[in-house]
Amino acid sequence: MTAVSDPNQLADLLAEATDTRVNLDFESEGMTLNMGPQHPATHGTLRIVAKLDGEQVISAEPICGYMHRGYEKIVEVRTYPQINALINRIDWLGSFANEVPFILAAEKLMGVEAPPRAQWIRTILFEMSRVANISLFLGDFGLQLGGMTAGFYAFRDREHVLNQIESATGGRFHPNFDRIGGLKDDLPKGWISDSHVAMDKLLAFCDEMEDLLVGNEIFQSRTRGIGIIPADIALSYGLSGANLRASGVDWDLRRDGCPPGLVYDQADWKVWTHPDGDCFARTWVRLQETREAAKIVKQLLDTIPAGPVMAKVPRIIKVPEGEAYVATENPLGEMGYYVVSKGDLVPFRVKIRSASFNNISIVPWVARGAYVPDLISILGSLYFILGDIDR
Amino acid sequence: MGLVESGRVPKPLSKLLNLSRKYSIWAYQWGLACCAIEMGAAFASPRYDVMRLGVIPFPASPRQADLVVIAGTVTDKLAPAVVRLYEQMPDPKYVISMGSCANCGGPYWDSYSVTKGVDQLIPVDVYVPGCPPRPEALLEGVLLLQERIAHEDMAERWKGDPIVVS
Amino acid sequence: MRTWLSVGRVIRLSSADTTDATASGASAEEVITDEAREAVLAELTARLGDAVLGSHIRPGDDLWVRVDRSAWRDAAEAAKAMGFTFFDYVSGIDWLPSPFGRDMDAQEDLVVSGAEPKEPAPIVQGYAGGETRFQVIAHVYNIATATGIHFKADVPDGDLTLPTWTGVFAGANWHERETREMFGISFDGHPNLINMYLPTDFQGFPLRKDFPLLARRVRPWPGIVDVEPMPGVADAEEGDAE
């Protein structure tokens, strides 16, 4: 073994050694378990290499990169509208939500503000994509813990939201609807009343899920007290979204750091937190968030102002020189874009701060000392999208 | 049966066997990216329900599958796993490439890490275009594949010669 | 009846139901100075001394601080002690203008703006200045006051190393791995500096500006082959674009 001379490194090692959750028997051989890259419980191509001592996990290291598409490089050779079409595909379940922080960052650099109607519709679609995203999480998490029915229910009821997104934007999955300075189009006729109906269905779906999944005894015994993340650890890993709120941190960018251009202050809603920080808390917070999102949509639908949906912007978009970081509370957590512009058609550098990357980086910490079946609960409840990790 | 090896399968028998094969495709889902969700909607949701076409989704392992749907972006790091999965499947096996990324690289046509088309790695029977394709489009792809299976000469296919698409 | 502001005017939004006024929400109305962020900067300067090399404040929005690279870890510790406990990200910036010029842009842009001469442009760093081609940028957040700090540090070409942040913010682990892989900037004391995304035999550092996207050289832009004008608007669009 090489000697450690660097005091910083020594401190890190010491911190790791004093982490006594794992009662290691260093003499035993152990076993290495490889999950993935194709594994039903990792939705996508995440690979986990876990070292086991019996049933207990000594270390679990996620291996990413199977979905690395080189976003940060290829956006440097795309114009701003082209990027807008591309970044839908980072977090593919809440596509519209990906566009918003990037567009807001570009708008900030250009000094453009979208008209009120566009802000309203943006917020509505943002929350709709949150509903579409998290409703699938509820079903998928049930599926991973062995409850197939939840998955079928989620796929069934998610279609109601996707229909609304599709009828407004033309894209079921990847809307590409947001524009610098507003939106591509206005809403179609009858959309508002249809959306009310869809949101009512989703609220009923949440009640159904609460009975079917969250209230289920097997579900609770597989999630309660599993994968506990304390608040200070969560903060130092940069966990965001429901994962952070489930650890008791009352922090929501929609309420606390909402960038101009979204109208969350126009609706009456609540940020839910849970003190436990375990897998159950994360699921529960997400369930409440789906409800809140549906409520926000319903309130905003009633107050959409009249007016244009597009501000005056030049036809060929050149973003002035500058740097801007805009983050919003996406379905998975904080998603931010650090845009550096040199006054060109294309951005000079775009750093994409995606939520899942930080959220999943805690897996080596939280999986230590867990049991193998709990690994599925932990991974499922941290809720990641592969495209959001690897980009 | 001996008939296949000798290259002579009576037409009616071939037709009968093809009919049964076409309506009992075990499809392995290889969900990689956005398309995986649309494939999930097609395979697992009550709204689209692929089982009515005689496709049985979710086999436990690729060794039990007849069809693999490559749904999503294939990266260079993943490519060995794709090839390995294909080699694990028993013959006769079919591949549906779903979505622009699997077809040709799609929006990542200039990326440094994306394989520009899964057909560089494994033979593809049906391409389903779209980004991502709607679940209906995938069902259409399944129908095309079934049509293809119905007109297949089993002897020719099982001899291992390259397939010519008519 | 509510009246709406006219189009194009900036509407700043205040927080919905926070009791304590946050810096970004409260101080936004036509304020040129930003006391909250200046206080943060002052305290940071007091803690780090000469190591603060440059700073930039965009009032009501953001704060950039450039620190000396020897004080990179001290900066993290100081920020954490000041309540900036939420770790956001670490990444890098390569300020070299792309040596490929318009070659690397979309072909469509060539049509719009014409070819550009390929003379090497000077390196110009962004906010808070800089002296080197590579800079590392990091963002930490204080969730009590809703303010963030963007830290920057120069990394000279000859010695692309920085002290690691992993002991201060555990989440920096993966971000530093990513930065190492994408820019070739290594971090002293990092426990496990291996590739994050790419296969181990991958050559080069993709996010450096001199890393070419080879597919762009060998293939024409796919969009150019099936340009289909929208019915009715075809002529007007063509005329505009020229």
Side-chain angles (χ1 to χ4, degrees):
Chain A
M1 193 177 159
T2 52
V4 180
S5 53
D6 183 19
N8 293 338
Q9 199 179 356
L10 202 64
D12 299 346
L13 286 172
L14 207 65
E16 206 168 300
T18 49
D19 186 2
T20 51
R21 284 169 305 146
V22 187
N23 184 17
L24 283 181
D25 178 8
F26 281 106
E27 300 303 317
S28 75
E29 271 281 300
M31 165 187 169
T32 304
L33 178 74
N34 183 36
M35 273 170 65
Q38 162 65 355
H39 190 274
T42 59
H43 41 150
T45 47
L46 184 74
R47 184 172 152 213
I48 308 263
V49 178
K51 290 207 174 62
L52 307 180
D53 182 17
E55 269 285 274
Q56 221 174 3
V57 178
I58 297 172
S59 77
E61 188 63 39
I63 296 178
C64 320
Y66 291 101
M67 197 42 58
H68 179 62
R69 294 157 292 183
Y71 262 94
E72 291 179 15
K73 183 72 179 179
I74 56 180
V75 295
E76 284 174 13
V77 288
R78 300 249 193 308
T79 60
Y80 285 85
Q82 285 173 338
I83 294 169
N84 190 34
L86 197 65
I87 55 178
N88 275 312
R89 289 152 180 83
I90 293 177
D91 158 20
W92 46 69
L93 283 176
S95 301
F96 185 80
N98 295 325
E99 299 173 16
V100 175
F102 179 75
I103 291 291
L104 291 178
E107 282 181 356
K108 188 191 250 182
L109 285 171
M110 291 178 73
V112 179
E113 180 93 350
R117 188 175 172 83
Q119 296 187 4
W120 246 258
I121 299 173
R122 246 182 217 173
T123 317
I124 289 171
L125 287 171
F126 196 106
E127 288 307 303
M128 277 194 168
S129 60
R130 185 187 311 277
V131 174
N133 188 329
I134 303 183
S135 61
L136 192 62
F137 157 78
L138 293 169
D140 193 48
F141 192 40
L143 200 71
Q144 290 175 22
L145 297 182
M148 282 285 276
T149 324
F152 293 130
Y153 279 35
F155 269 116
R156 183 195 67 191
D157 286 333
R158 196 170 165 266
E159 293 288 335
H160 301 307
V161 191
L162 290 185
N163 279 351
Q164 289 313 111
I165 294 177
E166 185 181 10
S167 63
T169 67
R172 209 175 111 85
F173 238 63
H174 297 317
N176 187 18
F177 193 58
D178 221 344
R179 296 286 184 273
I180 292 173
L183 295 168
K184 179 172 166 285
D185 271 323
D186 209 336
L187 294 174
K189 206 178 164 189
W191 193 82
I192 292 177
S193 57
D194 286 356
S195 299
H196 270 300
V197 176
M199 285 302 131
D200 285 338
K201 282 179 180 158
L202 259 296
L203 284 171
F205 163 78
C206 289
D207 296 342
E208 208 167 44
M209 275 293 161
E210 191 149 29
D211 294 344
L212 182 78
L213 190 71
V214 181
N216 186 310
E217 198 183 323
I218 303 172
F219 178 84
Q220 295 216 2
S221 67
R222 284 206 62 181
T223 51
R224 280 219 188 245
I226 309 286
I228 297 172
I229 303 173
D232 57 328
I233 299 285
L235 285 170
S236 77
Y237 273 95
L239 250 66
S240 51
N243 294 330
L244 187 63
R245 285 189 286 277
S247 296
V249 182
D250 190 11
W251 171 247
D252 192 318
L253 277 173
R254 287 177 287 174
R255 183 194 63 192
D256 302 323
C258 184
L262 295 172
V263 287
Y264 285 107
D265 58 342
Q266 303 292 332
D268 179 27
W269 58 286
K270 196 170 147 70
V271 176
W272 291 88
T273 59
H274 199 287
D276 286 0
D278 56 2
C279 296
F280 179 81
R282 293 191 274 276
T283 316
W284 185 85
V285 168
R286 287 210 177 86
L287 179 73
Q288 302 305 331
E289 262 177 31
T290 320
R291 281 204 178 116
E292 292 300 324
K295 282 181 201 160
I296 295 173
V297 171
K298 280 181 76 73
Q299 290 172 40
L300 291 182
L301 282 171
D302 291 333
T303 55
I304 298 182
V309 292
M310 194 72 189
K312 267 195 171 320
V313 285
R315 234 187 79 76
I316 293 167
I317 287 167
K318 280 196 175 180
V319 173
E321 203 160 323
E323 297 171 40
Y325 178 71
V326 174
T328 55
E329 185 76 24
N330 274 37
L332 296 164
E334 179 195 337
M335 176 159 212
Y337 292 85
Y338 190 86
V339 180
V340 181
S341 178
K342 290 269 185 187
D344 227 333
L345 284 167
V346 296
F348 185 76
R349 163 106 172 91
V350 178
K351 159 73 190 165
I352 303 168
R353 191 272 188 207
S354 58
S356 296
F357 186 78
N358 280 36
N359 287 354
I360 218 69
S361 71
I362 203 171
V363 164
W365 188 89
V366 75
R368 292 182 54 183
Y371 290 93
V372 176
D374 296 343
L375 207 53
I376 305 294
S377 306
I378 291 168
L379 281 176
S381 71
L382 281 173
Y383 191 36
F384 56 92
I385 301 282
L386 245 292
D388 204 38
I389 301 177
D390 291 348
R391 305 186 294 273
Chain B
M1 288 186 293
L3 287 169
V4 171
E5 282 80 359
S6 61
R8 290 176 286 108
V9 184
K11 269 238 165 84
L13 180 62
S14 180
K15 206 159 192 171
L16 179 70
L17 289 177
N18 279 345
L19 193 71
S20 18
R21 281 196 311 131
K22 132 182 189 190
Y23 288 124
S24 62
I25 302 174
W26 283 61
Y28 191 72
Q29 77 291 353
W30 179 244
L32 303 172
C34 336
C35 295
I37 311 297
E38 289 296 61
M39 184 178 63
F43 279 12
S45 91
R47 180 154 161 183
Y48 297 102
D49 188 20
V50 80
M51 280 200 211
R52 68 201 153 104
L53 303 177
V55 174
I56 302 146
F58 306 119
S61 133
R63 289 168 204 272
Q64 300 167 0
D66 307 306
L67 161 69
V68 61
V69 180
I70 308 278
T73 320
V74 180
T75 58
D76 290 347
K77 190 172 178 178
L78 188 70
V82 173
V83 175
R84 191 160 151 194
L85 171 115
Y86 182 75
E87 283 167 353
Q88 283 179 350
M89 289 166 59
D91 261 324
K93 50 194 171 188
Y94 303 93
V95 177
I96 291 182
S97 156
M98 181 184 183
S100 300
C101 296
N103 291 347
C104 64
Y108 315 109
W109 66 278
D110 53 354
S111 170
Y112 53 87
S113 59
V114 173
T115 307
K116 316 294 183 300
V118 73
D119 50 5
Q120 295 178 10
L121 307 167
I122 55 177
V124 175
D125 293 272
V126 176
Y127 297 89
V128 181
C131 190
R134 293 180 62 96
E136 292 96 325
L138 180 62
L139 299 188
E140 172 79 14
V142 170
L143 287 176
L144 284 173
L145 181 72
Q146 286 180 333
E147 200 174 303
R148 175 172 188 157
I149 295 173
H151 295 102
E152 221 167 45
D153 185 347
M154 289 168 68
E156 212 166 274
R157 169 106 201 184
W158 287 5
K159 269 193 298 187
D161 291 339
I163 315 152
V164 183
V165 186
S166 60
Chain C
M1 173 126 184
R2 197 165 168 177
T3 51
W4 298 102
L5 296 172
S6 63
V7 176
R9 186 157 155 211
V10 176
I11 308 162
R12 290 287 183 176
L13 298 168
S14 59
S15 305
D17 51 328
T18 37
T19 44
D20 53 331
T22 57
S24 61
S27 64
E29 292 290 339
E30 69 264 347
V31 186
I32 299 146
T33 53
D34 184 339
E35 285 90 6
R37 283 182 178 76
E38 264 165 17
V40 168
L41 181 62
E43 190 178 346
L44 210 57
T45 318
R47 280 171 187 268
L48 295 173
D50 293 342
V52 176
L53 299 177
S55 67
H56 179 90
I57 294 179
R58 195 192 285 145
D61 181 32
D62 233 330
L63 164 67
W64 283 263
V65 177
R66 186 162 66 92
V67 297
D68 192 64
R69 76 175 173 139
S70 59
W72 182 241
R73 192 178 161 116
D74 300 339
E77 275 161 2
K80 197 170 187 179
M82 285 162 62
F84 290 78
T85 48
F86 182 79
F87 168 78
D88 222 348
Y89 63 83
V90 171
S91 191
I93 302 180
D94 180 0
W95 289 106
L96 182 80
S98 174
F100 306 105
R102 284 275 163 207
D103 254 20
M104 296 290 286
D105 295 346
Q107 300 286 311
E108 190 194 39
D109 309 335
L110 278 178
V111 178
V112 173
S113 60
E116 232 176 45
K118 272 196 201 176
E119 58 196 34
I123 295 178
V124 182
Q125 281 85 0
Y127 293 158
E131 283 144 24
T132 54
R133 176 183 160 191
F134 290 105
Q135 275 189 332
V136 170
I137 181 162
H139 190 219
V140 291
Y141 217 84
N142 185 341
I143 61 172
T145 60
T147 43
I149 308 176
H150 282 282
F151 281 111
K152 282 183 176 179
D154 293 347
V155 190
D157 280 351
D159 180 24
L160 289 172
T161 53
L162 266 187
T164 180
W165 270 22
T166 41
V168 189
F169 295 107
N173 186 329
W174 281 26
H175 288 268
E176 287 175 357
R177 273 170 69 186
E178 188 191 2
T179 310
R180 210 273 317 172
E181 180 175 11
M182 291 295 161
F183 292 95
I185 299 168
S186 82
F187 291 86
D188 280 341
H190 189 284
N192 185 24
L193 210 57
I194 56 170
N195 267 11
M196 188 87 223
Y197 295 133
L198 297 165
T200 39
D201 55 352
F202 191 87
Q203 299 284 319
F205 301 105
L207 280 184
R208 286 191 180 179
K209 286 283 176 184
D210 49 9
F211 180 90
L213 287 171
L214 291 174
R216 283 192 164 261
R217 296 300 179 74
V218 296
R219 277 174 75 179
W221 181 51
I224 212 89
V225 292
D226 52 3
V227 173
E228 209 172 281
M230 294 289 280
V233 293
D235 304 328
E237 298 247 328
E238 294 281 319
D240 249 352
E242 286 308 308

